[in-house]
Amino acid sequence: MSYYSKSELRAKGEEIVDEAVAATIREADSCADAQDGLHRDEHGTDAHGSHEYSHEEVEGWVREQLAWIPDHFEREADPEPDNFEGISDAVNTTMSKLGGGDSASADPNIAFSAKAQAEIEEWDGVFSENFQNGFTIPFPTIVQNQAAVAKMLNDSLGAIVNVYRGKRRDYSELADQTIAALKNCGARDGGDEKMGLTILGAVAGIAAAALAIPSGGTSLYVGGIVLATIAGSAAIGGETVPKEKNLALGAPTVMEVISNMISRQSDIYTAVYDQEEKIAGVLDGNYELLTSVRQLGAARRMATPLTPLRPSIADAEDPSSGLTPE
């Protein structure tokens, strides 16, 4: 299965309440019949034919106790995975313009820097030297690093979307298996309805962040930045998802089934939280790494691997005065 929409999950929650009402009435009738049978056995008289509670009373009590279920299933449908498409499109556009760090396939404005470097090499002087050291030489590495940042953000976005898809699939399966378990209430074994946790496969792996921040005489723009990345499992979008847990939902009585359902909701919440923490931890680590590089560059007043300094030629009253042909 894929997963239900928000409104469909609410409808499933309402169906759970309906099935709980029907199963509880069956339980009440079964209990009353058993009591009547016991009375006949003991007194040799016909059954009284009266129940302690009417069906209407039973239904009212069950609906009052379980009124929270439809709201809960609807609420847990958030966040909507499809709402991230706009962000994903924006990040992919950025990655495309950066050409994945390859200037040959990047935006023409980026590719122009290579031509500028070839032209400026024919000149010398303070402005020429400043323009090369502060812009054209580090620029290809800066583009490569910006592409790495964009890819890291795109991977993280893909992972978090898979987490929320997994959450939606888990709640969809939970709703269906709870309904099936309630239909089987009254059976001696209570049925064998179980569910796995799709969410546990939402983030396939996390690489360790690695960057030796340049020090000493090492130029800040030499070398690319290595960021921690997250691989989002493609299995979340497929029909077959490996089940890393096999969690029971079936039980002989209504309240046991509902108790199992609540326990599975807690399992889902914990799994989602753990996956979010993994992704947030990677993003936090990358942020600290990138910030440290920026701060180091600012302290040295040098071009960093992320953002080049503004060449002083850009502020010169007569830029040509600092450029002399070789």
Side-chain angles (χ1 to χ4, degrees):
M1 62 174 291
S2 53
Y3 50 73
Y4 293 124
S5 68
K6 192 170 185 176
S7 60
E8 287 172 335
L9 270 180
R10 181 176 185 83
K12 286 291 180 178
E14 292 169 350
E15 189 175 349
I16 288 172
V17 176
D18 292 341
E19 290 296 338
V21 167
T24 306
I25 289 174
R26 290 198 304 271
E27 288 178 357
D29 287 346
S30 177
C31 181
D33 290 342
Q35 290 176 343
D36 289 345
L38 180 61
H39 182 83
R40 285 194 303 270
D41 291 340
E42 290 180 349
H43 303 284
T45 59
D46 292 337
H48 291 284
S50 62
H51 294 172
E52 185 176 356
Y53 298 103
S54 69
H55 289 179
E56 290 75 14
E57 289 173 320
V58 172
E59 178 173 357
W61 180 84
V62 173
R63 291 194 183 280
E64 180 181 359
Q65 294 298 312
L66 304 183
W68 58 272
I69 292 178
D71 290 339
H72 180 80
F73 273 87
E74 181 179 31
R75 182 173 61 251
E76 292 303 316
D78 290 327
E80 172 59 60
D82 292 342
N83 287 347
F84 290 84
E85 287 184 1
I87 303 175
S88 179
D89 290 344
V91 175
N92 284 324
T93 297
T94 299
M95 291 179 63
S96 176
K97 286 184 176 296
L98 291 170
D102 177 12
S103 60
S105 60
D107 184 277
N109 292 322
I110 293 177
F112 178 77
S113 66
K115 181 179 180 181
Q117 169 64 14
E119 294 292 337
I120 205 72
E121 284 176 350
E122 299 180 6
W123 297 78
D124 60 14
V126 63
F127 288 131
S128 173
E129 181 179 348
N130 176 271
F131 189 72
Q132 291 184 72
N133 291 336
F135 187 78
T136 58
I137 292 176
F139 193 71
T141 299
I142 291 164
V143 173
Q144 176 185 347
N145 289 334
Q146 293 288 2
V149 172
K151 183 180 186 305
M152 177 269 294
L153 291 174
N154 192 57
D155 288 349
S156 300
L157 178 62
I160 198 66
V161 168
N162 272 350
V163 168
Y164 297 139
R165 284 176 178 164
K167 177 187 178 184
R168 184 74 71 86
R169 286 187 66 156
D170 283 343
Y171 264 93
S172 298
E173 183 180 4
L174 175 61
D176 284 340
Q177 295 299 330
T178 300
I179 290 167
L182 289 168
K183 288 180 182 293
N184 283 326
C185 278
R188 179 166 296 184
D189 61 0
D192 61 353
E193 290 75 25
K194 296 180 177 65
M195 65 168 289
L197 281 182
T198 298
I199 188 64
L200 293 179
V203 176
I206 296 179
L211 174 68
I213 298 177
S215 59
T218 304
S219 174
L220 280 175
Y221 63 75
V222 173
I225 292 177
V226 179
L227 298 171
T229 58
I230 303 170
S233 171
I236 296 300
E239 288 301 314
T240 57
V241 179
K243 305 298 184 183
E244 297 190 33
K245 276 196 174 183
N246 201 22
L247 307 169
L249 274 163
T253 68
V254 171
M255 287 302 105
E256 287 178 290
V257 170
I258 297 301
S259 177
N260 286 343
M261 181 191 77
I262 293 172
S263 181
R264 300 298 78 83
Q265 289 170 348
S266 177
D267 291 329
I268 294 171
Y269 174 85
T270 299
V272 170
Y273 179 84
D274 288 346
Q275 299 285 37
E276 288 175 332
E277 283 288 289
K278 289 179 182 179
I279 296 170
V282 169
L283 291 173
D284 286 345
N286 287 335
Y287 175 77
E288 291 176 6
L289 185 151
L290 296 174
T291 300
S292 68
V293 173
R294 293 286 297 272
Q295 291 173 340
L296 183 58
R300 294 189 182 181
R301 299 181 64 82
M302 295 177 63
T304 76
L306 296 172
T307 305
L309 297 176
R310 181 179 175 84
S312 60
I313 190 174
D315 300 315
E317 292 183 3
D318 181 8
S320 64
S321 65
L323 298 172
T324 55
E326 290 183 342

